[in-house]
Amino acid sequence: MASKASTVHSPKMKSVKALAESASLSSLPSFYSFTHNAHDEPKISDDAEDSVPIIDVSLLVSGTPEERSQVVHQLNKACSDWGCFMVINHGVPESLTKAMIESFQEFFNLPEEEKQEFHGNHVMDPIRCGTGFNPSMDKVNLWRDYLKCFTYPEFHSPNKPAGFSEIALEFSQKNREVVTVLLKAISKSLGLEESYIDKATNIELGLQILAANYYPACPEPDRAIGIPSHTDHGLLTLLVDNGISGLQILHKEKWINVNLRPNALFVHIADHLEILSNGKCKSIEHRALVNDKATRMSIALPHGPSLETVIRPAPELVDKESHPPAYVEMTYREFLELQQTGRLRSKFG
Ligand code: OGA
Ligand code: NI
């Protein structure tokens, strides 16, 4: 074929969606070409035993004392051995999740000029829509568009499409309730009092972000990346998708494809839970691949401490000799801002 993947599109391209829909696109513009570091690249696991733990959250609310302590034990293992789990019977109605995915789709379908109105530049902008340009990553663009809204302690959302705000508010509230239950149980699983994490993070004012990722079908999926390997900031991220797979987690040095169960929530343990637990909970490395068949959408809800709270390892989990504090303390806001500068190279600060 005569066409080569050498067209360089400017980083100013408004969205990957617009690019993917442009009729002439038959190969990947080189600006999106992502080089996997073959040497460091861990193997992809095809081991069927590698299945992510499943947590029945309804048992934490209405189970017998034995059932509750069993789930707390399962959480302990999930947080330390996996750094992630799936939650079932969580109380977020399936119809609400569907409506939220549809509303995000309608948002991404808005004319590019209308979406530009929400184009924020700073990590602290409460509504931010854009494409996956990541300045800390050498000239490579990500094959995804996104919309991020801060939904707690103050609720922010775009005023279009019609109905978006109402659905976003209800969806965020229902998901936050799940996190509230999980954080208490995780506190107990660490041998701390139930409200330890709530207090240490001032969770009453804890930041919740509602973010959608839009990954259009890509002409050369193996040469592009949706989101490269990373860990999430915050305590817990809840994630759902539109049934098209693409999420991979790094487990025992192998990438595992995660196929989200319908109506389950995928939960990532994130950096600030690792810090608070002095490393007992593992913040999981994950990434999003793209495919050439269908658009994938995911909704991620990072839940973090309050922005002004200094996060440090729980003194109960620190022992000067055997478990010295392994993390630098700083506020969640400082962490986020430092991360933006590219100077926070790893989750260890
Ligand atoms: C993220 C993320 C994964 C996915 O938004 O931080 O890791 O499956 N998303 O979209
Ligand atoms: Ni992530």
Side-chain angles (χ1 to χ4, degrees):
M1 272 220 292
S3 88
K4 290 222 315 250
S6 57
T7 335
V8 176
H9 280 261
S10 128
K12 292 203 170 56
M13 187 79 202
K14 289 196 180 85
S15 73
V16 184
K17 183 171 182 290
L19 173 67
E21 288 169 3
S22 62
S24 58
L25 192 75
S26 60
S27 59
L28 190 76
S30 60
F31 182 57
Y32 289 88
S33 172
F34 179 80
T35 316
H36 293 274
N37 186 338
H39 183 69
D40 296 340
E41 186 71 353
K43 300 219 166 5
I44 308 245
S45 172
D46 43 17
D47 190 342
E49 280 168 44
D50 282 335
S51 46
V52 174
I54 294 174
I55 300 292
D56 182 344
V57 84
S58 69
L59 294 177
L60 290 171
V61 182
S62 51
T64 62
E66 295 81 67
E67 284 168 333
R68 280 209 296 274
S69 69
Q70 214 173 358
V71 178
V72 166
H73 181 69
Q74 289 167 355
L75 276 171
N76 179 289
K77 277 193 76 66
C79 292
S80 58
D81 297 355
W82 281 84
C84 65
F85 49 91
M86 277 193 232
V87 161
I88 55 168
N89 299 327
H90 45 67
V92 184
E94 199 170 355
S95 56
L96 180 60
T97 304
K98 256 184 97 184
M100 188 75 263
I101 291 176
E102 277 163 21
S103 282
F104 271 119
Q105 176 72 60
E106 285 171 24
F107 177 86
F108 288 113
N109 286 348
L110 290 173
E112 295 301 324
E113 307 76 64
E114 289 189 37
K115 285 187 275 184
Q116 284 300 300
E117 213 183 296
F118 306 107
H119 186 96
N121 285 320
H122 189 265
V123 64
M124 288 303 160
D125 288 343
I127 303 177
R128 220 155 31 105
C129 131
T131 189
F133 184 66
N134 181 345
S136 65
M137 271 182 52
D138 226 342
K139 288 191 186 138
V140 175
N141 212 352
L142 312 181
W143 195 263
R144 70 129 188 199
D145 298 329
Y146 65 84
L147 169 64
K148 295 183 185 189
C149 314
F150 286 11
T151 44
Y152 195 90
E154 246 178 60
F155 179 77
H156 298 267
S157 98
N159 53 5
K160 54 182 129 173
F164 184 95
S165 264
E166 290 76 12
I167 293 167
L169 178 61
E170 196 186 344
F171 184 72
S172 312
Q173 286 172 340
K174 285 271 188 284
N175 276 281
R176 191 164 175 274
E177 285 167 20
V178 180
V179 169
T180 304
V181 174
L182 287 174
L183 287 179
K184 288 187 166 48
I186 292 174
S187 251
K188 272 168 81 173
S189 81
L190 290 166
L192 302 167
E193 71 167 286
E194 192 175 79
S195 59
Y196 181 87
I197 296 174
D198 292 0
K199 288 183 190 153
T201 61
N202 195 11
I203 205 75
E204 284 289 302
L205 295 176
L207 182 67
Q208 182 193 44
I209 304 174
L210 170 63
N213 298 302
Y214 189 95
Y215 310 99
C218 176
E220 294 180 80
D222 296 342
R223 299 185 52 224
I225 191 86
I227 309 181
S229 179
H230 67 285
T231 59
D232 289 354
H233 58 74
L235 298 162
L236 296 176
T237 301
L238 305 189
L239 185 113
V240 292
D241 68 18
N242 64 343
I244 307 290
S245 41
L247 173 66
Q248 289 191 328
I249 55 166
L250 191 60
H251 178 67
K252 295 190 184 156
E253 291 164 28
K254 284 185 181 165
W255 286 113
I256 299 185
N257 296 316
V258 178
N259 296 313
L260 299 182
R261 285 190 173 198
N263 205 28
L265 293 169
F266 189 84
V267 183
H268 294 99
I269 303 297
D271 298 341
H272 290 83
L273 199 50
E274 176 165 329
I275 297 170
L276 264 183
S277 67
N278 203 26
K280 285 201 161 173
C281 296
K282 296 283 185 283
S283 171
I284 184 142
E285 290 269 348
H286 57 283
R287 66 183 182 182
L289 304 186
V290 293
N291 76 87
D292 56 3
K293 308 265 176 337
T295 294
R296 172 163 190 259
M297 268 180 58
S298 67
I299 303 179
L301 295 118
H303 291 76
S306 95
L307 285 167
E308 315 312 334
T309 304
V310 175
I311 301 301
R312 56 172 71 88
E316 291 83 344
L317 303 177
V318 171
D319 175 320
K320 277 210 179 75
E321 319 265 275
S322 58
H323 297 286
Y327 306 86
V328 177
E329 27 177 281
M330 64 180 94
T331 66
Y332 186 27
R333 183 189 294 279
E334 285 164 342
F335 185 98
L336 290 177
E337 287 180 346
L338 199 58
Q339 197 167 44
Q340 281 303 297
T341 66
R343 274 185 291 141
L344 192 63
R345 291 251 171 260
S346 79
K347 58 192 173 186
F348 298 95

